Amino acid sequence: MRLSKYYLPTLKEKPAHAKIISHQYSLRAGLIKQIASGIYSWLPLGLLVLKNIEDIIRDEMDKSGAIEVLMPCVQPANLWRESGRYDDYGKEMLRIKDRHEEDMLFGPTHEEVATDLIRDVVKSYKDLPLCLYQIQWKFRDEVRPRYGVMRGREFLMKDAYSFDVDYEGALNSYNLMYKTYIKIFKRMGLTPIGVRADTGPIGGNLSHEFHILANTGESTLYYDNKFSELLESEDVESLKSIYAVADDMHDPETCPISQEQLNVSKGIEIGHIFYFGDKYSKPMKASVTSQDGKNVNIHMGSYGIGVSRLVGAIIEAFHDDKGIIWPESVAPFRIGLINLQTKVTEAADKIYKALKSDEVLYDDTEGSVGVKFSRMDLIGLPWQIIVGKKAIDEKIVEVKNRATGEVKEMQIEEAINHFSTK
Amino acid sequence: MRLSKYYLPTLKEKPAHAKIISHQYSLRAGLIKQIASGIYSWLPLGLLVLKNIEDIIRDEMDKSGAIEVLMPCVQPANLWRESGRYDDYGKEMLRIKDRHEEDMLFGPTHEEVATDLIRDVVKSYKDLPLCLYQIQWKFRDEVRPRYGVMRGREFLMKDAYSFDVDYEGALNSYNLMYKTYIKIFKRMGLTPIGVRADTGPIGGNLSHEFHILANTGESTLYYDNKFSELLESEDVESLKSIYAVADDMHDPETCPISQEQLNVSKGIEIGHIFYFGDKYSKPMKASVTSQDGKNVNIHMGSYGIGVSRLVGAIIEAFHDDKGIIWPESVAPFRIGLINLQTKVTEAADKIYKALKSDEVLYDDTEGSVGVKFSRMDLIGLPWQIIVGKKAIDEKIVEVKNRATGEVKEMQIEEAINHFSTK
């Protein structure tokens, strides 16, 4: 993509109202634009990141056997009256009356719709297990939205719903999602920590929050040293069994592991998984005939990932004082190609044409060298190819790794080959 | 995909409330499920079609140089007060009050948000032309939603907004979109007819509706015989200049072409393009400095395609009394593989494993042959590979073309090769 044909409104100055790094950089790097409190438009560069995150999630969800659906944003209140949550939900639910004075709402979550989706169809244990997921915009009317896409009102979420005939099946579904989440976050270059979460009135130990490590994170995580090596093996049973909690669940007095074994790090919550039995299936009458001929309520779980929130969380995890440092798997473009002067346009054009245009953002604009360098650092593409005056006689360009800052000289042909393969 | 692991709730009977073919088949083939009047969940098979349609649109929009963004569903009323449309819009706008009693709405369209998006950034003629597009869910609170996804309340739309410094530039942008629309609909196997549309108070001849031909269509189109051959050449100026209107604009008395030259066909509207000058840029103060240093209002156009509506329109255009007949470019799977009896499971499994699993829906269920055949015809995948008893000794399967009904016997290896290369 040629920058001269692109829409990338970057900001030089830090917006005064943006308190945290990811909010500042997502505005400054032209990823988003606020249109109302907690509501954003996604600009071209931000949308590319969002889609890359979606693609990774979709790929791993599909591999797990979950099936993608898409439920609507606007839901009828009646489904929530059936589950008993309509009156309880409070002011975070955006309530709507349609032209016929019917009570509707902009879905903050989709347990009711998902249960309704399958209850007339799934009738036998033979139809199970089943796991449906969607990636859909949701709305929570936060009283004080802040931190940009980290805590927006309209936000994109991946939510999955598992349906099983019994507890054992539900546990398998739960563990499969736990493992899938580990895979998803690792592919984004993140270190996920699954911490035990309060299950509220449901009880049991089947609720985990997933936080990713980030020095600027809002939560403090306390977890066993062994967590990191178990992450490698993706051994879910062991991961679930060792000590790992966030601040709200940690008590130094009762902590079962020694100080030496305890890791304390900052993190950001980006996912939450639950098993909740028949909380929805019972009131909403979603049942199946079991293998021994009984009518049983379906055992359900739900599994969320904050997709738009992840854009912020990844920036919190990967940045420096110059800007964002995107992991390659989610970067909007892999390469930033910088043309430093009109004399080298021929060389820079040649490189651009040799590479895949959707992998390269080509700064072909007229402008000062300083502006070009700082903008490219700000938007944080993993690699920069800098075409300066050495490109003319010596056919040499500089290749810079944005994360390490390391710069290497390469022959033009060598650089083209290097970035064409892979 | 193995059908035994999939979620495909088909219906044998025609739902009583569904009046038109596409509504009946989209419910019967398990594409959608209604959750409230005019509001649907997209089931796995329907979502695949929707995404294929999106991908074609996205590809052609990108090729045209338009840049994808994503604007939010929920919009602040203030932007609509600026343009003057808030009070005019009427009951089709879903109005919302948030917890702070701010007036919001679920966007029925995005002219205001798009204008706001660029007005602080685009300041010079050098920043233009610019065309931004999105594929986003919208809401129109129709008084009597009907016809399934053809006239839903929550619907998916591709909407694009062009920004130009003058009329000439705007005309280029308009023509480029006209051409892009022709390409998009042709790739879906459809025959698009661009008809002159009423521009209302704006005047001028720069508004066209795009209808696609379908015998069951709701509108009647009157157009010059030459339209079809001009479609081949994608010659926009000629296409725009010849006679082509829908019933609301046709008057036999004043029709400038002869009866012999006039084609009369049924169609369905699936797109609409407008040039509207400074209708939004003027009240919303979106202006640029022109080449000669003057401050001028930006010339804008908008370009819509009903994405979810297209699912219905394509079914109207391509079906028979057995079910849907998907064009290959939008089909949820390319091939339906039918295992007719347990004895041939080995052969059917072999074929399934040899082909790409996302191109094949493999009916590996236990069930009657009749059910399998009629379900596969109903969901309308372009090709069927039928594995019956000849597969055991003679290694022969039947390959059926869903559109023509033609059946050919093929050696198993031959069928695998045929569908692997494509």
Side-chain angles (χ1 to χ4, degrees):
Chain A
M1 174 61 68
R2 284 176 181 270
L3 185 57
S4 61
K5 307 271 183 198
Y6 203 53
Y7 187 70
L8 179 63
T10 52
L11 304 175
K12 257 185 231 145
E13 304 298 331
K14 184 172 89 178
H17 65 287
K19 297 266 177 285
I20 62 170
I21 289 285
S22 60
H23 191 188
Q24 292 162 12
Y25 280 152
S26 54
L27 291 167
R28 286 191 54 206
L31 306 183
I32 55 169
K33 179 184 189 297
Q34 180 172 315
I35 80 156
S37 173
I39 303 180
Y40 298 88
S41 287
W42 290 80
L43 301 177
L45 205 68
L47 184 58
L48 289 176
V49 177
L50 198 64
K51 284 188 185 184
N52 288 340
I53 292 173
E54 275 187 52
D55 286 346
I56 291 173
I57 294 174
R58 191 171 277 125
D59 186 52
E60 292 295 338
M61 290 301 293
D62 289 346
K63 280 183 187 156
S64 82
I67 306 169
E68 190 173 7
V69 297
L70 189 62
M71 296 177 271
C73 295
V74 177
Q75 307 178 6
N78 278 342
L79 287 177
W80 290 67
R81 293 201 175 99
E82 265 193 78
S83 74
R85 285 208 291 180
Y86 187 65
D87 293 325
D88 298 347
Y89 211 91
K91 289 200 157 188
E92 291 200 351
M93 180 187 278
L94 191 68
R95 292 160 205 262
I96 307 171
K97 272 198 196 298
D98 74 5
R99 68 189 295 166
H100 300 299
E101 295 293 315
E102 293 288 335
D103 288 322
M104 313 292 285
L105 56 103
F106 197 125
T109 179
H110 281 74
E111 278 81 6
E112 283 80 359
V113 179
T115 308
D116 175 62
L117 195 67
I118 60 98
R119 64 178 163 179
D120 295 332
V121 174
V122 171
K123 288 295 176 192
S124 157
Y125 71 95
K126 290 183 194 163
D127 301 326
L128 302 178
L130 176 66
C131 185
L132 301 176
Y133 78 97
Q134 67 171 349
I135 297 177
Q136 176 62 300
W137 291 91
K138 296 180 162 44
F139 202 97
R140 277 185 203 155
D141 203 0
E142 303 261 359
V143 63
R144 236 172 282 103
R146 56 197 159 154
Y147 304 150
V149 297
M150 291 276 281
R151 185 160 302 211
R153 291 198 289 173
E154 190 171 321
F155 59 97
L156 187 61
M157 200 159 166
K158 187 285 297 173
D159 43 325
Y161 304 90
S162 67
F163 307 93
D164 283 277
V165 69
D166 53 23
Y167 176 78
E168 199 189 339
L171 184 61
N172 283 338
S173 297
Y174 186 92
N175 288 345
L176 181 57
M177 277 302 115
Y178 190 114
K179 190 166 187 162
T180 299
Y181 275 37
I182 297 288
K183 286 178 194 288
I184 287 170
F185 300 128
K186 277 164 68 176
R187 277 180 66 178
M188 296 174 192
L190 300 165
T191 304
I193 308 290
V195 304
R196 265 193 295 124
D198 194 358
T199 51
I202 301 164
N205 64 349
L206 280 178
S207 177
H208 285 86
E209 291 168 6
F210 285 83
H211 296 245
I212 54 104
L213 297 185
N215 291 333
T216 52
E218 63 201 345
S219 54
T220 306
L221 309 175
Y222 300 83
Y223 58 97
D224 195 313
N225 282 332
K226 282 183 287 188
F227 206 94
S228 308
E229 74 193 64
L230 289 170
L231 268 185
E232 286 302 311
S233 65
E234 298 175 7
D235 173 354
V236 172
E237 282 304 338
S238 303
L239 281 166
K240 279 166 62 188
S241 70
I242 64 172
Y243 190 75
V245 295
D247 19 18
D248 58 328
M249 299 278 278
H250 179 67
D251 179 354
E253 298 295 312
T254 59
C255 177
I257 59 174
S258 69
Q259 203 66 23
E260 293 73 45
Q261 214 182 320
L262 188 70
N263 218 319
V264 183
S265 303
K266 289 286 181 185
I268 298 169
E269 189 191 339
I270 33 71
H272 202 156
I273 64 178
F274 293 95
Y275 161 73
F276 43 66
D278 62 2
K279 183 177 175 188
Y280 301 94
S281 59
K282 191 176 171 185
M284 295 184 71
K285 300 190 176 55
S287 62
V288 293
T289 308
S290 68
Q291 196 150 9
D292 51 7
K294 286 188 194 138
N295 190 50
V296 295
N297 293 325
I298 295 174
H299 289 246
M300 287 177 59
S302 78
Y303 313 90
I305 292 178
V307 181
S308 46
R309 174 168 242 249
L310 264 167
V311 176
I314 291 170
I315 296 173
E316 293 291 338
F318 303 110
H319 67 268
D320 61 17
D321 58 358
K322 299 197 191 82
I324 303 166
I325 303 170
W326 293 115
E328 213 158 315
S329 61
V330 303
F333 296 92
R334 191 169 152 234
I335 301 159
L337 173 65
I338 308 178
N339 177 340
L340 287 185
Q341 41 179 283
T342 46
K343 279 185 197 159
V344 300
T345 297
E346 199 181 320
D349 280 2
K350 181 183 166 184
I351 297 170
Y352 179 64
K353 281 173 195 153
L355 300 174
K356 285 193 199 151
S357 66
D358 61 351
E359 290 197 348
V360 181
L361 184 64
Y362 174 21
D363 187 344
D364 60 342
T365 61
E366 291 166 28
S368 82
V369 169
V371 166
K372 290 185 175 198
F373 280 138
S374 57
R375 177 170 52 211
M376 205 53 96
D377 281 347
L378 174 63
I379 67 172
L381 309 182
W383 297 97
Q384 296 175 11
I385 303 177
I386 301 158
V387 189
K389 65 174 191 291
K390 276 195 177 176
I392 304 170
D393 295 330
E394 300 170 65
K395 311 279 181 221
I396 280 174
V397 294
E398 286 182 348
V399 172
K400 175 173 155 182
N401 179 317
R402 173 66 182 88
T404 63
E406 195 193 346
V407 178
K408 261 209 289 206
E409 289 198 340
M410 277 193 195
Q411 290 288 320
I412 289 177
E413 289 304 328
E414 190 189 350
I416 289 173
N417 284 335
H418 179 76
F419 288 106
S420 299
T421 57
K422 200 213 151 139
Chain B
M1 175 60 68
R2 284 176 180 270
L3 185 57
S4 61
K5 307 272 183 197
Y6 203 53
Y7 187 70
L8 179 63
T10 52
L11 304 175
K12 257 184 231 143
E13 304 298 332
K14 184 172 90 179
H17 66 286
K19 298 267 177 286
I20 62 170
I21 288 284
S22 60
H23 191 188
Q24 292 162 13
Y25 280 152
S26 54
L27 291 168
R28 286 190 55 206
L31 306 183
I32 55 168
K33 179 185 189 297
Q34 181 172 315
I35 79 155
S37 173
I39 303 180
Y40 298 88
S41 287
W42 290 80
L43 302 178
L45 205 69
L47 184 58
L48 288 177
V49 177
L50 197 64
K51 284 188 186 184
N52 289 340
I53 293 172
E54 276 186 50
D55 286 346
I56 290 173
I57 294 174
R58 191 170 277 126
D59 186 52
E60 291 296 337
M61 290 301 293
D62 289 346
K63 280 182 187 157
S64 81
I67 306 170
E68 191 174 7
V69 296
L70 189 62
M71 295 177 272
C73 295
V74 177
Q75 307 178 6
N78 278 342
L79 287 177
W80 290 67
R81 293 201 175 99
E82 265 192 78
S83 73
R85 285 208 291 180
Y86 187 65
D87 293 326
D88 298 346
Y89 211 89
K91 289 199 159 190
E92 292 200 350
M93 180 187 279
L94 191 68
R95 292 160 206 261
I96 308 172
K97 272 198 196 299
D98 74 6
R99 67 188 295 166
H100 300 299
E101 296 292 315
E102 292 288 334
D103 288 322
M104 313 292 285
L105 55 103
F106 196 126
T109 179
H110 281 74
E111 278 81 5
E112 284 80 358
V113 179
T115 308
D116 175 61
L117 195 67
I118 59 98
R119 64 178 162 178
D120 296 331
V121 174
V122 171
K123 289 293 175 193
S124 157
Y125 71 95
K126 290 182 194 165
D127 301 326
L128 302 178
L130 176 66
C131 185
L132 301 176
Y133 79 97
Q134 67 171 351
I135 298 178
Q136 176 62 300
W137 291 91
K138 295 180 162 45
F139 202 97
R140 277 184 203 157
D141 203 1
E142 303 262 358
V143 64
R144 237 172 280 103
R146 54 196 162 156
Y147 304 150
V149 297
M150 291 276 282
R151 185 160 302 211
R153 291 198 288 172
E154 190 171 322
F155 59 98
L156 187 61
M157 199 159 167
K158 186 286 296 174
D159 43 324
Y161 304 91
S162 67
F163 307 93
D164 283 278
V165 70
D166 53 23
Y167 176 79
E168 199 189 341
L171 185 61
N172 284 338
S173 297
Y174 186 92
N175 288 345
L176 182 57
M177 277 302 115
Y178 190 114
K179 189 165 188 164
T180 299
Y181 275 37
I182 298 288
K183 287 179 194 286
I184 286 170
F185 300 128
K186 278 164 68 176
R187 277 180 66 178
M188 296 175 191
L190 300 165
T191 303
I193 308 291
V195 304
R196 264 193 296 123
D198 194 358
T199 51
I202 302 164
N205 64 350
L206 280 178
S207 177
H208 286 86
E209 291 168 4
F210 285 83
H211 296 245
I212 55 104
L213 297 185
N215 290 333
T216 52
E218 63 201 346
S219 54
T220 307
L221 309 175
Y222 301 82
Y223 58 97
D224 195 313
N225 282 333
K226 280 183 287 187
F227 206 93
S228 309
E229 73 193 65
L230 288 171
L231 268 185
E232 286 301 311
S233 65
E234 298 175 5
D235 172 354
V236 172
E237 282 304 338
S238 303
L239 280 166
K240 280 166 62 188
S241 70
I242 64 173
Y243 189 74
V245 294
D247 19 18
D248 58 327
M249 299 277 279
H250 180 67
D251 178 353
E253 298 295 314
T254 59
C255 177
I257 59 174
S258 70
Q259 203 66 23
E260 294 72 46
Q261 214 182 320
L262 188 69
N263 218 319
V264 183
S265 304
K266 289 285 181 186
I268 298 170
E269 188 191 340
I270 33 72
H272 202 154
I273 64 178
F274 294 96
Y275 161 73
F276 42 65
D278 62 1
K279 182 177 176 189
Y280 301 94
S281 60
K282 190 176 172 186
M284 295 185 72
K285 299 188 176 55
S287 62
V288 292
T289 307
S290 68
Q291 196 151 10
D292 51 7
K294 285 187 196 140
N295 190 50
V296 296
N297 293 325
I298 296 174
H299 289 246
M300 288 177 58
S302 77
Y303 313 90
I305 292 178
V307 181
S308 46
R309 174 168 239 239
L310 265 167
V311 176
I314 291 170
I315 295 173
E316 293 291 339
F318 303 111
H319 67 268
D320 61 17
D321 57 359
K322 298 197 191 82
I324 303 166
I325 303 170
W326 293 115
E328 213 159 316
S329 61
V330 303
F333 296 92
R334 191 169 153 234
I335 301 158
L337 173 64
I338 308 178
N339 177 341
L340 287 185
Q341 41 179 283
T342 46
K343 279 185 196 159
V344 301
T345 297
E346 200 182 319
D349 280 2
K350 182 185 166 181
I351 296 170
Y352 179 63
K353 282 172 194 154
L355 299 174
K356 285 193 198 151
S357 65
D358 61 351
E359 290 197 350
V360 181
L361 183 64
Y362 174 21
D363 187 345
D364 60 342
T365 61
E366 291 166 27
S368 82
V369 169
V371 166
K372 290 185 175 198
F373 280 138
S374 57
R375 177 170 52 211
M376 204 54 95
D377 280 348
L378 174 63
I379 66 172
L381 309 182
W383 298 97
Q384 296 175 11
I385 303 177
I386 300 158
V387 188
K389 65 174 192 290
K390 275 196 177 174
I392 304 170
D393 295 330
E394 299 170 66
K395 311 280 181 220
I396 280 174
V397 294
E398 287 183 349
V399 172
K400 175 173 154 183
N401 179 317
R402 174 66 182 87
T404 63
E406 195 193 346
V407 177
K408 261 209 288 204
E409 289 197 342
M410 276 193 195
Q411 290 288 320
I412 289 177
E413 289 304 327
E414 190 189 349
I416 289 173
N417 283 336
H418 180 75
F419 287 107
S420 300
T421 54
K422 183 182 170 162

